[in-house]
């Protein structure tokens, strides 16, 4: 039972919790090849902070394929097939301090842990199960819920209400991610935003987007937890 003053922590996946060591990108390229017979190098495709739904659209349009829900679904199905096989072959890892941080937050009655990610749910599950962190999260908002990341906070909030009977006010929701898009989508629902420089963006660049808190990484569990409850 969570307390009424609980905070809802919404974690991004890639560059925040883990890196798949390029397994995601390689699986998308392989899917373009096996599904459509097309050579893809991901040039011009926006990956960091983007949703799988939008990435699929960008890939289809880049090759002048019809950007239909059917084509996008077929591409993502194929991507998941390759991701499942590839995930263990790539040199990915859990980001510094993540395991300790998740344990520390889980132990608190005033913390709810969930995901807010551009991954489709099956992709999120493949990645996080491989790195043994999937079970820490009660629910999530995924690219299956909406293609626009800025809409995902609303879904997370509704799912939190369904799981806990708590309608979290925006000031008690904390969105944690590694890109300006994470900051933007947190701000879109009035949530607190925490940026981590473990992904594609250096501290100085994230700072320009004025998150409520900013970390080089999440390794110092005690001070990170303290800060997460104070933003
Ligand atoms: Mg990310």
């Amino acid at each position: 039972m969570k307390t009424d003053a609980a905070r809802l922590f919404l974690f991004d996946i890639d560059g925040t919790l883990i890196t798949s060591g390029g397994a995601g990108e390689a699986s998308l390229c392989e899917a373009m090849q096996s599904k459509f017979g097309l050579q893809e190098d991901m040039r011009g495709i926006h990956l960091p902070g983007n949703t799988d739904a939008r990435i699929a659209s960008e890939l289809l349009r880049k090759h002048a394929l019809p950007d239909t829900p059917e084509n996008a679904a077929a591409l993502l199905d194929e991507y998941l097939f390759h991701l499942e096989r590839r995930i263990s072959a790539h040199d990915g890892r859990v980001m510094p301090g993540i395991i300790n941080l998740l344990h520390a937050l889980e132990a608190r009655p005033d913390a709810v842990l969930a995901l807010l990610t551009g991954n489709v749910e099956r992709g999120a599950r493949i990645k996080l199960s491989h790195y043994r962190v999937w079970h820490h999260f009660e629910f999530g908002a995924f690219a299956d819920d909406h293609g626009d990341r800025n809409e995902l906070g609303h879904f997370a909030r509704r799912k939190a209400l369904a799981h806990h009977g708590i309608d979290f006010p925006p000031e008690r929701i904390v969105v944690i991610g590694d890109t300006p898009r994470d900051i933007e989508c947190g701000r879109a629902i009035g949530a607190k935003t925490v940026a981590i420089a473990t992904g594609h963006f250096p501290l100085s660049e994230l700072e320009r987007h004025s998150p409520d808190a900013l970390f080089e990484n999440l390794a110092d569990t005690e001070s990170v937890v303290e800060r997460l409850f104070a933003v």
Side-chain angles (χ1 to χ4, degrees), residues 79-180:
Y79 153 73
L80 291 165
F81 170 76
H82 293 299
L83 182 64
E84 185 119 53
R85 288 188 312 110
R86 273 186 174 275
I87 189 77
S88 56
H90 283 253
D91 193 17
R93 65 185 183 282
V94 181
M95 293 308 191
I98 290 297
I99 301 292
N100 286 342
L101 176 63
L102 295 176
H103 281 132
L105 290 174
E106 234 168 16
R108 297 183 59 132
D110 56 352
V112 172
L113 298 187
L115 298 165
L116 191 169
T117 171
N119 283 268
V120 288
E121 182 169 0
R122 284 185 293 159
R125 184 192 289 266
I126 290 169
K127 290 177 182 175
L128 295 188
S129 297
H130 177 74
Y131 291 104
R132 299 191 172 85
V133 287
W134 173 254
H135 63 281
H136 291 291
F137 301 96
E138 295 181 45
F139 57 89
F142 304 95
D144 320 69
D145 293 311
H146 206 288
D148 181 352
R149 194 181 191 101
N150 286 350
E151 294 294 325
L152 292 182
H154 300 295
F155 286 86
R157 206 175 159 186
R158 280 204 285 278
K159 291 180 190 190
L161 179 60
H163 273 75
H164 290 285
I166 302 172
D167 187 10
F168 285 90
E171 66 272 17
R172 282 198 277 117
I173 301 175
V174 184
V175 173
I176 302 158
D178 68 305
T179 72

